[in-house]
Structure formats: structure tokens, C-alpha cells
Amino acid sequence: MGSKESIDDQMLIELAKSGDQDAFSELVMKHRSKVVNWVKSITHDAYLAEDIAQDALLRSYFHLESLDHADRFLPWLRSIVRNKAIDALRKNNRKTLYIQQFIYPTFPLTLYFPGTCSL
């Protein structure tokens, strides 16, 4: 990231922290594609990536005050994105496991989910 972009981000973050919603909207417009790509790299699902990206950006807005150093915005945002993506995958895996158990109760799940259950 160039220094001009970093300075612009820092200024937008400080404005957003003081309650300027337009400043945060500008940050979202600048970094939304990065956020979606980060999620896609974890989930490998474009539709899920959009949902998780939206959720992560919303979380970052509500927790912006916890960001101590504006120059660390992107690493901070990336950690939120990563955690949200991992949580979604865990949740999705539990749903898949439950559906498999419900639909195919006698089918050995270890074929689809090695190491997740013992027979």
C-alpha cells in the first residue's frame, strides 16, 4: 500500500471514529473488493464470501473504537474477516454434519468427514 493511500485511510478512520459515517462508507468502497477476496480465499464460495464480507465490515464499523492505531486498519480488518470466515465454515460444517446424520443415519460419516466422528 502506498503512503498516500495509508494517510488517506488514517484520516478516514479518524473521521469515522468521530462519527462520520461517510468516512466509513469511503473506507468500505476502497477496501470491499479486498475483503471479499480474502473471504473467497478461505471459503472458496463467492456467495458465502459476499455475506461474510458484509458481516465483517459491519462488525468493523461497530468495533472501530477498539482500533488503537489507524495505520493498522487493514491487518485489523483482515483478522476480523478471517475470524468471521472461519466461524462461518465451522457453522456450515456443523449444519452439513447434522443434515448428513438426519438424511443418512446409517451411512458412515467418516467417508465424508474423516476424523469428525467415531463409530
Side-chain angles (χ1 to χ4, degrees):
M1 172 183 342
S3 62
K4 184 178 182 335
E5 183 177 338
S6 177
I7 292 170
D8 289 343
D9 281 356
Q10 289 178 24
M11 185 173 50
L12 289 170
I13 290 161
E14 293 306 322
L15 289 169
K17 278 183 160 185
S18 68
D20 187 341
Q21 292 179 350
D22 291 334
F24 190 79
S25 293
E26 182 70 27
L27 282 169
V28 168
M29 287 189 294
K30 284 178 70 175
H31 300 296
R32 184 168 180 25
S33 64
K34 286 179 202 160
V35 169
V36 171
N37 287 331
W38 291 338
V39 179
K40 280 183 196 176
S41 73
I42 296 169
T43 64
H44 306 287
D45 183 325
Y47 296 110
L48 185 59
E50 290 289 335
D51 289 342
I52 295 169
Q54 184 70 22
D55 192 33
L57 288 166
L58 190 59
R59 182 171 178 81
S60 70
Y61 177 74
F62 288 120
H63 291 87
L64 196 57
E65 287 301 318
S66 70
L67 177 63
D68 294 327
H69 303 285
D71 61 329
R72 302 290 302 156
F73 175 70
L74 284 178
W76 176 78
L77 180 59
R78 191 172 190 150
S79 70
I80 292 172
V81 168
R82 183 186 61 244
N83 291 338
K84 286 290 185 184
I86 290 169
D87 288 347
L89 288 175
R90 285 181 184 145
K91 182 179 177 183
N92 198 17
N93 192 25
R94 282 193 297 267
K95 284 181 183 177
T96 303
L97 183 60
Y98 173 76
I99 290 168
Q100 288 294 332
Q101 288 174 335
F102 181 74
I103 295 174
Y104 304 108
T106 59
F107 193 76
L109 294 177
T110 54
L111 294 176
Y112 289 108
F113 302 99
T116 58
C117 62
S118 58
L119 300 174

